[in-house]
């Protein structure tokens, strides 16, 4: 399908009292799943006035979830290292399996292979692990990163997996042998700020032809606060060389925390800042975005519905700016936290 | 709000000449305060009390370190881990300190007044006393004064920090410039420590004798105050020249550097240990850029393990050398960080409830003082201000704040906030 980024419309917003970090739309478009800081699995039934239900799922933060290619299962993972598999659909979801300690530290990303037979995870322990999607059994451990591994993407060839770490090292793994075939350079996304390691490959995705790997994060920073320029590095898959450095046309300070590739030929990135969230639409090969869409709160995870007509964006923030800032800030005498939302956009 | 300690510093590189100049000027302007009860200094000297003061500038989050609340609304992504103390848990980012908590202590219910860096940094390090119209000394200057010359032959108060160095006479407040901080920028020694080429030890000695003779003649009809300060600064310069190797970062061993984490902060902590070993009374180590309004958790993932490793290593070394029993080790910031996580996944400033770590000589090991609410939002029960901490540190050093006063040119001044007292249960 073709889309016109300027025609992107905010279709609806579902809200929750806690921050939302990731989201997925069911293939039939009936359900919107979300998760975040409360560790619960949230489900909104979109054709029933956005009826909200939530289910006990995890103990740590849930920053990552992915749908099986057939749409029947959802995989969620948390910052305490747990991965769970859930059925998609109505009723109370009963987890099909759980791996308690897929990683012993903060698990950053879970992704699923194009055929759906395997899932991969990565974490602060410098490891990438591959499990069977059916039973959650460990198939392979990929070692070689020397820093926290923040992002993952399967290649359509079924043999390759890519991973990106804090220092901007991208590794291309052979899944049949577990060997690292090559390293690609996205180190522009890392900065040593005084005594702190900043940035990293926060997100990655391939284009639909699997000719280009897009790595997102931020470049440069003037504080220990991820205050750099949102940046996507497009790596040519064949040569491994940098093809394009993609940044926003308009000034923005903050990281890109997720990217998706639209088959109509747009890379869509989600930005997070103090001033709110932004969706950027880039054409491949172009350094500056063609269009941007602003939102009241900072964005986190994205999901492009498989029909290409809807985009979900998890966000969190502070409506009205009354909850943030230094010192004691009470709302009606209560100490309340920030809230979450998922914005649903129609792409036309 | 920015403050001069973390940005646009007005510090200057130190040479012996600059130090002499700055000390002389300030001494002339402010005078040098005395102790109302000098006898106490003699008692303390026999016990060789020392302090390692670790300043995490910008404010480390208590929730990602000493007071984790995993799985709660504001707990963040990290787990907690069991320590050597039954029922006491630390953030998973502090595994080494968790193993050493039987030798250390935590105050989890700090409550201070200031919520901005510019308001908080100085008052916290000065003990936030009642306003009496004079600048109180930083803790390092206060301890140097109160403990007196402990005979190390070295400056009593040395500060190691990233960036530029200098002589921070402002730290001394009304005590007078001689109690300021000799600051080693990036851990480097002051410039020109070695005598000029061609100046032999014999020539150097002759020059000193000449200077002293001229001084004596100059003083026949003048006050000794200014001269005393000049003499003091010459003495410090001489001390540093005599201990050049102590200030040489190149003398630090690779194994030790690795054990301290292989980081800049680790190197500074190792240098601090060497200075303490050499007898320096008060060593302050500063680590900047903890002000994590954005990306708090990744920033603490990078920073807290550096503190964990270097602090653990120095505790081990001080223990192994028999020094821990007479050295107070304290780790703190100007406040804590908000429980709530803002839209940039950061935490803001939070003086309502925060934590500090303390241990060593005179401090009861293996205790946790105070508690915060289940969500870590406010203190639950008794809470303590920085004045309580000053009372506690002074007591641990053998100084009785109830009986010891500063004598600021005839004005008696309490050494710690008189409405506070030592934290019960924290003293050995």
């Amino acid at each position: 399908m073709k889309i016109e980024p300027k025609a992107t419309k905010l279709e609806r917003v579902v809200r929750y009292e806690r921050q939302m970090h990731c989201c997925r739309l069911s293939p039939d478009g009936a359900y919107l799943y979300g998760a975040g800081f409360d560790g619960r699995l949230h489900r909104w039934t979109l054709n029933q006035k956005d009826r909200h239900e939530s289910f006990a799922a995890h103990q740590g933060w849930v920053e990552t979830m992915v749908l099986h290619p057939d749409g029947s299962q959802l995989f969620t993972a948390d910052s305490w290292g747990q991965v769970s598999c859930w059925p998609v659909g109505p009723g109370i979801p009963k987890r099909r399996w759980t791996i308690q300690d897929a990683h012993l530290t903060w698990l950053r990303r879970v992704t699923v292979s194009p055929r759906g037979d395997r899932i991969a995870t990565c974490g602060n322990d410098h490891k990438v692990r591959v499990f069977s999607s059916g039973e959650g059994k460990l198939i392979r451990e990929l070692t070689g990163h020397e820093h926290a591994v923040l992002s993952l993407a399967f290649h359509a060839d079924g043999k390759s997996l890519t991973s990106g770490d804090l220092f901007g090292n991208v590794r291309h793994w052979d899944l049949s042998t577990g060997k690292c075939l090559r390293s690609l350079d996205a180190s522009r996304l890392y900065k040593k700020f005084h005594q702190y390691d900043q940035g990293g490959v926060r997100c990655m995705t391939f284009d639909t032809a699997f000719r280009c790997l897009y790595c997102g994060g931020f470049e440069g920073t003037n504080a220990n606060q991820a205050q750099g320029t949102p940046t996507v590095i497009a790596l040519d898959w064949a040569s491994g060389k940098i093809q394009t450095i993609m940044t926003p046309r308009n000034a923005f300070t903050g990281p890109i925390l997720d990217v998706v590739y639209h088959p109509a030929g747009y890379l869509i990135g989600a930005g997070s800042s103090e001033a709110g969230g932004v969706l950027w639409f880039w054409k491949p090969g172009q350094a500056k975005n063609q269009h941007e869409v602003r939102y009241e709160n900072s964005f986190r995870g994205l999901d492009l519905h498989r029909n290409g007509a809807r985009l979900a964006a998890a966000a969190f923030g502070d409506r009205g700016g009354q909850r943030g800032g230094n010192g004691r800030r009470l709302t009606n005498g209560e100490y309340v936290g920030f809230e979450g939302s998922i914005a649903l956009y129609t792409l036309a | 709000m920015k403050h001069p300690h973390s940005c646009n510093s007005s510090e200057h590189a130190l040479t012996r000449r600059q130090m002499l100049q700055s000390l002389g000027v300030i001494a002339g302007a402010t005078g040098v305060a005395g102790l109302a009860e000098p006898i106490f200094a003699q008692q303390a000297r026999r016990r060789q009390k020392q302090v390692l003061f670790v300043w995490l500038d910008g404010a480390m989050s208590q929730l990602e370190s000493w007071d984790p609340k995993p799985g709660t609304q504001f707990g963040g992504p990290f787990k907690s881990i069991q320590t050597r103390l039954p029922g006491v848990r630390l953030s998973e980012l502090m595994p080494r300190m968790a193993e050493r908590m039987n030798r250390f202590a935590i105050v989890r219910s700090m409550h201070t007044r200031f919520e901005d860096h510019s308001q908080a940094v100085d008052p916290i390090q000065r003990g936030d006393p009642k306003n009496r119209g004079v600048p109180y000394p930083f803790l390092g200057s206060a301890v140097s004064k109160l403990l007196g010359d402990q005979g190390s032959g070295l400056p009593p108060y040395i500060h190691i920090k990233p960036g530029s160095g200098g002589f921070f006479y402002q730290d001394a407040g009304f005590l007078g410039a001689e109690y300021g901080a000799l600051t080693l920028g990036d851990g480097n020694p002051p410039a020109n420590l070695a005598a000029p080429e061609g100046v032999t030890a014999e020539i150097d000695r002759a020059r000193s004798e000449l200077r002293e003779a001229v001084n004596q003649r100059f003083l026949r009809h003048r006050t000794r105050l200014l001269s005393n300060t000049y003499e003091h600064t010459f003495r410090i310069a001489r001390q540093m020249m005599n201990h050049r190797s102590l200030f040489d970062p190149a003398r630090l061993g690779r194994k030790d550097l690795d054990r301290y984490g292989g980081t800049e902060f680790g190197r500074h902590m190792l240098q601090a240990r060497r200075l303490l070993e050499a007898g320096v009374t008060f060593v302050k180590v500063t680590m900047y850029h903890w002000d994590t309004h954005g990306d708090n958790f990744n920033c603490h993932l990078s920073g807290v393990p550096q503190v964990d490793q270097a602090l653990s290593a120095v505790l081990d070394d001080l223990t192994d050398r028999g020094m821990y029993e007479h050295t107070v080790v304290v780790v703190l910031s100007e406040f804590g960080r908000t429980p709530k996580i803002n839209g940039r996944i950061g935490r803001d400033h939070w003086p309502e409830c925060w934590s500090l770590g303390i241990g060593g000589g005179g401090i009861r090991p293996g205790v946790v003082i105070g508690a915060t609410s289940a969500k870590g939002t406010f203190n639950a029960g008794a809470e303590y201000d920085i004045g309580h901490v000053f009372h506690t540190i002074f007591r641990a050093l053998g100084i009785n704040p109830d009986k010891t006063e500063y004598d600021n040119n005839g004005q008696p001044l309490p050494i710690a906030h008189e409405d506070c007292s030592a934290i019960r249960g924290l003293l050995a």
Side-chain angles (χ1 to χ4, degrees):
Chain A
M1 67 171 291
K2 288 186 177 179
I3 62 167
E4 173 48 60
K6 288 182 180 174
T8 301
K9 285 184 180 171
L10 181 62
E11 174 192 317
R12 69 179 88 184
V13 175
V14 295
R15 297 189 187 279
Y16 183 60
E17 63 190 24
R18 300 283 300 278
Q19 288 106 318
M20 302 304 296
H21 221 294
C22 51
C23 54
R24 285 295 181 270
L25 282 158
S26 65
D28 61 5
Y31 302 105
L32 174 63
Y33 290 91
F37 288 2
D38 67 353
R40 297 180 71 81
L41 178 62
H42 297 268
R43 185 178 65 197
W44 285 268
T45 305
L46 299 179
N47 55 12
Q48 292 180 13
K49 297 182 179 177
D50 301 342
R51 181 165 62 93
H52 174 245
E53 300 161 284
S54 77
F55 312 95
H58 290 268
Q59 292 180 289
W61 283 4
V62 181
E63 287 189 307
T64 176
M65 60 166 59
V66 65
L67 271 175
H68 191 278
D70 70 10
S72 67
Q73 299 172 84
L74 182 70
F75 305 96
T76 56
D78 73 26
S79 63
W80 291 15
Q82 177 186 310
V83 183
S84 291
C85 174
W86 310 87
V88 171
I92 298 172
K94 288 186 179 176
R95 67 182 90 208
R96 292 186 172 160
W97 52 255
T98 286
I99 311 166
Q100 283 295 343
D101 293 316
H103 294 260
L104 293 177
T105 56
W106 193 347
L107 196 162
R108 298 295 192 131
R109 188 70 70 159
V110 59
T111 191
V112 64
S113 64
R115 281 179 21 199
D117 56 334
R118 285 174 281 188
I119 61 167
T121 59
C122 61
N124 284 1
D125 56 4
H126 310 177
K127 303 279 175 45
V128 176
R129 294 197 170 98
V130 181
F131 301 88
S132 68
S133 62
E135 298 169 295
K137 284 192 175 177
L138 181 66
I139 296 172
R140 197 171 288 287
E141 180 175 280
L142 309 176
T143 57
H145 279 288
E146 295 175 351
H147 310 283
V149 190
L150 309 178
S151 54
L152 292 170
F154 274 103
H155 191 276
D157 65 10
K159 301 173 187 171
S160 300
L161 176 71
T162 58
S163 55
D165 71 22
L166 174 63
F167 277 52
N169 301 306
V170 176
R171 290 182 181 263
H172 173 190
W173 304 94
D174 180 338
L175 287 170
S176 60
T177 64
K179 289 185 177 174
C180 177
L181 297 175
R182 57 178 174 159
S183 292
L184 292 78
D185 182 13
S187 58
R188 294 175 67 120
L189 300 178
Y190 165 79
K191 182 176 180 180
K192 186 82 173 177
F193 178 77
H194 294 276
Q195 302 176 58
Y196 304 87
D197 298 315
Q198 291 264 299
V201 184
R202 297 291 179 97
C203 51
M204 58 168 53
T205 190
F206 281 100
D207 63 358
T208 44
F210 289 85
R211 292 188 185 128
C212 188
L213 177 67
Y214 296 96
C215 300
F218 63 94
E219 193 172 357
T221 184
N222 59 4
N224 191 20
Q225 304 180 10
Q227 284 190 319
T229 302
T231 303
V232 176
I233 295 177
L235 295 167
D236 177 70
W237 184 244
S239 68
K241 292 182 177 173
I242 293 177
Q243 200 174 65
T244 318
I245 307 291
M246 306 161 85
T247 56
R249 187 175 301 281
N250 298 322
F252 189 91
T253 300
I256 287 180
L257 295 174
D258 207 359
V259 284
V260 294
Y261 192 87
H262 194 283
Y266 287 98
L267 182 76
I268 305 172
S272 168
S273 86
E274 197 170 20
V278 177
L279 297 175
W280 293 286
F281 293 76
W282 285 276
K283 290 295 284 183
Q286 294 186 355
K288 297 296 180 185
N289 60 299
Q290 191 177 86
H291 184 63
E292 70 176 31
V293 174
R294 298 255 168 185
Y295 184 64
E296 62 189 5
N297 293 152
S298 60
F299 282 130
R300 305 296 295 167
L302 294 176
D303 186 44
L304 180 65
H305 188 249
R306 53 191 58 189
N307 69 10
R310 283 169 126 184
L311 180 75
F316 58 76
D318 173 20
R319 273 188 300 169
Q322 298 303 306
R323 296 181 178 181
N326 300 328
R328 182 189 288 259
R329 297 286 182 273
L330 302 179
T331 304
N332 298 325
E334 296 289 319
Y335 187 81
V336 294
F338 281 50
E339 60 193 5
S341 62
I342 301 177
L344 260 178
Y345 291 93
T346 303
L347 306 174
Chain B
M1 180 181 287
K2 291 180 178 178
H3 68 95
H5 286 257
S6 62
C7 58
N8 302 323
S9 173
S10 59
E11 300 149 13
H12 302 286
L14 175 71
T15 65
R16 279 179 292 150
R17 177 168 299 179
Q18 286 169 323
M19 186 177 72
L20 296 176
Q21 289 171 341
S22 63
L23 282 170
V25 168
I26 299 307
T30 64
V32 178
L35 264 184
E37 294 190 14
I39 190 170
F40 148 78
Q42 295 171 9
Q43 295 167 351
R45 191 175 306 135
R46 287 198 294 272
R47 293 194 289 268
Q48 280 287 307
K49 299 289 188 181
Q50 293 174 289
V51 177
L52 172 59
F53 183 87
V54 181
W55 180 253
L56 304 177
D57 191 280
M60 182 173 78
S61 167
Q62 68 280 8
L63 291 150
E64 278 67 63
S65 55
W66 305 115
D67 193 13
K69 303 286 183 183
T72 65
Q73 181 176 3
F74 305 116
F78 299 113
K79 292 180 278 191
S80 66
I81 52 174
Q82 181 61 49
T83 70
R84 290 282 292 270
L85 304 177
V88 175
R89 300 179 75 84
L90 295 184
S91 165
E92 65 173 310
L93 302 179
M94 303 188 88
R96 293 175 177 84
M97 283 307 298
E99 281 297 308
R100 290 159 179 80
M101 276 310 298
N102 57 326
R103 286 189 273 149
F104 209 58
I106 307 170
V107 181
R108 281 178 168 164
S109 56
M110 291 297 296
H111 175 98
T112 46
R113 294 196 293 154
F114 310 105
E115 64 179 39
D116 285 323
H117 303 293
S118 57
Q119 295 175 320
V121 168
D122 277 22
I124 293 295
Q125 294 185 84
R126 296 184 196 276
D128 193 17
K130 284 186 179 176
N131 182 6
R132 286 183 166 81
V134 291
Y136 257 66
F138 275 37
L139 185 63
S141 301
V143 168
S144 301
K145 175 71 178 179
L146 295 167
L147 290 183
D149 181 0
Q150 299 199 91
S152 71
L154 283 162
Y157 174 19
I158 296 181
H159 178 192
I160 306 171
K161 61 180 276 298
S164 58
F167 191 83
F168 289 13
Y169 61 82
Q170 300 93 331
D171 282 21
F174 64 74
L175 289 181
E178 70 178 282
Y179 295 101
L182 172 65
T183 302
L184 310 182
D186 280 332
N188 291 317
N192 307 322
L193 271 191
E197 198 174 338
V199 177
T200 64
E202 193 176 338
I203 294 172
D204 197 33
R205 189 167 54 251
R207 292 197 321 175
S208 290
E209 287 171 1
L210 175 62
R211 178 180 54 77
E212 286 166 13
V214 171
N215 268 355
Q216 291 303 317
R217 184 174 171 182
F218 176 79
L219 277 173
R220 279 179 199 156
H221 306 291
R222 291 173 176 85
T223 171
R224 294 198 63 83
L225 180 62
L226 192 59
S227 174
N228 283 348
T229 304
Y230 275 124
E231 281 301 312
H232 174 78
T233 56
F234 270 104
R235 196 163 58 245
I236 288 181
R238 175 74 58 192
Q239 288 165 353
M240 290 189 291
M241 292 173 71
N242 292 339
H243 294 83
R244 283 203 304 275
S245 64
L246 184 61
F247 296 94
D248 183 2
R251 301 280 183 122
L252 303 174
R254 173 47 53 191
K255 276 187 178 175
D256 277 343
L257 285 167
D258 289 345
R259 209 161 43 80
Y260 276 69
T263 60
E264 180 183 68
F265 176 70
R267 176 164 56 83
H268 293 171
M269 289 287 277
L270 178 56
Q271 287 180 285
R273 188 212 75 194
R274 282 164 51 89
L275 293 170
L276 291 166
E277 278 183 285
V280 174
T281 300
F282 191 103
V283 182
K284 173 182 171 183
V285 178
T286 293
M287 183 178 182
Y288 288 119
H289 302 296
W290 285 93
D291 195 18
T292 51
H293 293 281
D295 210 20
N296 173 77
F297 304 96
N298 285 308
C299 295
H300 278 73
L301 181 64
S302 180
V304 176
Q306 296 184 47
V307 175
D308 182 53
Q309 185 158 0
L311 183 60
S312 301
V314 84
L315 292 193
D316 290 352
D317 284 358
L318 293 176
T319 303
D320 291 347
R321 288 159 173 75
M323 296 168 63
Y324 193 52
E325 62 192 36
H326 62 79
T327 304
V328 175
V329 179
V330 58
V331 183
L332 77 164
S333 300
E334 59 265 45
F335 34 65
R337 305 212 73 85
T338 49
K340 69 178 67 174
I341 299 161
N342 66 28
R344 295 165 55 209
I345 322 181
R347 296 191 192 270
D348 301 313
H349 307 166
W350 193 243
E352 297 288 339
C353 61
W354 54 281
S355 302
L356 62 79
I358 190 167
I363 301 297
R364 194 173 157 203
V367 297
V368 176
I369 302 293
T372 50
S373 60
K375 289 184 177 180
T377 49
F378 296 99
N379 286 322
E383 52 191 14
Y384 302 100
D385 205 332
I386 193 66
H388 295 95
V389 177
F390 268 50
H391 274 270
T392 306
I393 291 172
F394 286 146
R395 291 274 184 184
L397 294 171
I399 303 166
N400 184 345
D402 298 331
K403 295 184 177 175
T404 311
E405 291 180 323
Y406 295 121
D407 175 5
N408 180 35
N409 290 325
Q411 177 191 22
L413 294 170
I415 62 171
H417 199 301
E418 57 267 47
D419 293 346
C420 298
S421 57
I423 299 172
R424 190 175 294 177
L426 195 52
L427 289 170

